[in-house]
Amino acid sequence: MELRIFTEPQQGATYDTLLRVARAAEDLNYGAFFRSDHYLHMGSTDGLPGPTDAWITLAGLARETKSIRLGTLMTAGTFRLPGVLAIQVAQVDQMSGGRIDFGLGSGWYEDEHKAYGIPFPKEKFGRLEEQLAIITGLWRTPTGERFTFDGKFYQLTDSPALPKPAQPKVPVLIGGHGAKRTPALAAEYADEFNIPFASVDDTEQQFKRVRAAAEQRGRDADELVYSNALVACVGRNDAEVKRRADAIGREVDELKANGLAGSPAEVVERLGRFAGVGSQRVYLQMLDLTDLDQMELIASEVMPQVA
């Protein structure tokens, strides 16, 4: 099982903070550094000093890291036009030397749209389907040929389909809890399927849905990577776990029930349960970005036992 770092900068983080975390993740041999794509904080935090843009952040990190993969869980489909987003991701992939994983979701947080004047359409899933078709279609169009798309929501005419990413194929992540349309979309477009903040039982059920959708489409279900995103709160002892839970405003028992919390041994055991239902990769949601010691603890005492 591969462990990756997942951050929520809208809760309050500067670019320099994210850079420190990304460099620490790289030095500690985590598989990737990911961030959310939000413009407004959630819950009781004030979100100071304010949001950072996901793809501007990743462009900076692309030049200031060397080997770690970079990506989004998930880029909000409501924020950017698909043709523009295809250019942005391709450019950042070039800037990183081919280290981008591209997660795309429909967008869901209505308040942030209201706060920054971003349209929040009712029909988001249909737009997401067209966005995936356009972005992947632009990338795979051979250089020198043209791309045209005539959809319900988006139309592209005679596009040169440039620039191209550095990678022959940028890995595409699709995720969620939907029982029908989400698995079907993953079966058609995804290289990785991610289920966020789910129990072991719900993870197993959703992975089965995605595998069935892939097979129904005539695709080998094992072609996809199956992953979870789970909040992390790991300590050497009960007092350290409690201190870390307090720092993120959560209860230890709730974190143990719904995330990855407790001693390294407890977390290894719980990761084993997710691995047992098919999870190959876990994104560790790190809510206290000043606590690099927790990342070091997980890297030294959890990662070797699950790698």
Side-chain angles (χ1 to χ4, degrees):
M1 177 179 281
E2 181 189 63
L3 301 182
R4 293 182 161 190
I5 296 298
F6 171 42
T7 63
E8 301 272 10
Q10 76 279 354
Q11 299 302 91
T14 65
Y15 173 77
D16 286 340
T17 298
L18 296 172
L19 176 59
R20 283 194 296 272
V21 175
R23 284 177 168 168
E26 183 171 66
D27 291 343
L28 293 167
N29 295 315
Y30 284 94
F33 171 91
F34 270 58
R35 62 156 292 161
S36 60
D37 186 23
H38 286 294
Y39 291 135
L40 188 67
H41 62 86
M42 302 168 195
S44 59
T45 182
D46 56 21
L48 293 175
T52 51
D53 181 84
W55 285 99
I56 291 176
T57 297
L58 294 178
L61 297 179
R63 306 304 287 181
E64 297 197 85
T65 59
K66 296 178 181 179
S67 60
I68 194 166
R69 296 195 68 82
L70 304 166
T72 51
L73 281 179
M74 299 285 188
T75 294
T78 50
F79 288 174
R80 305 165 187 90
L81 295 171
V84 174
L85 183 56
I87 292 170
Q88 291 172 325
V89 177
Q91 183 179 7
V92 178
D93 194 57
Q94 291 175 359
M95 293 167 70
S96 72
R99 293 186 281 127
I100 293 300
D101 289 6
F102 175 56
L104 183 63
S106 61
W108 61 270
Y109 189 21
E110 186 172 5
D111 285 352
E112 68 187 337
H113 294 75
K114 292 178 179 178
Y116 287 97
I118 303 167
F120 190 70
K122 290 184 178 179
E123 178 51 72
K124 292 182 286 296
F125 201 91
R127 293 173 188 271
L128 175 61
E129 290 182 286
E130 291 192 10
Q131 289 164 344
L132 285 162
I134 291 166
I135 293 167
T136 58
L138 287 167
W139 289 342
R140 69 170 176 260
T141 297
T143 301
E145 297 186 13
R146 300 277 169 160
F147 177 82
T148 294
F149 183 88
D150 186 17
K152 178 180 178 181
F153 303 104
Y154 304 103
Q155 296 80 39
L156 285 74
T157 303
D158 203 25
S159 172
L162 296 172
K164 302 301 184 192
Q167 298 175 88
K169 187 179 192 309
V170 174
V172 173
L173 286 75
I174 294 172
H177 295 259
K180 294 183 178 179
R181 296 178 74 183
T182 297
L185 202 61
E188 183 168 359
Y189 292 105
D191 300 285
E192 178 178 342
F193 178 79
N194 178 269
I195 182 165
F197 314 118
S199 68
V200 174
D201 290 343
D202 288 347
T203 295
E204 182 177 27
Q205 186 177 40
Q206 188 69 334
F207 285 175
K208 285 180 177 179
R209 292 186 185 117
V210 174
R211 296 182 72 88
E215 291 167 359
Q216 185 175 9
R217 195 176 180 277
R219 182 178 179 187
D220 183 352
D222 289 335
E223 288 180 3
L224 281 83
V225 173
Y226 299 85
S227 65
N228 290 84
L230 295 162
V231 62
C233 182
V234 187
R236 296 171 181 84
N237 51 52
D238 290 346
E240 194 166 86
V241 174
K242 178 66 164 59
R243 174 175 63 78
R244 289 194 163 120
D246 289 345
I248 61 175
R250 304 279 285 270
E251 296 293 330
V252 172
D253 289 345
E254 178 268 321
L255 288 167
K256 286 187 176 184
N258 299 312
L260 297 171
S263 68
E266 288 178 288
V267 170
V268 168
E269 188 278 332
R270 185 152 171 79
L271 285 170
R273 293 178 61 198
F274 282 98
V277 299
S279 185
Q280 300 160 287
R281 180 178 288 160
V282 172
Y283 294 81
L284 304 173
Q285 186 192 43
M286 310 300 290
L287 294 177
D288 183 356
L289 299 183
T290 66
D291 189 1
L292 300 184
D293 181 62
Q294 180 176 202
M295 290 175 56
E296 293 173 2
L297 176 64
I298 296 170
S300 63
E301 299 192 27
V302 175
M303 196 186 300
Q305 298 188 65
V306 301

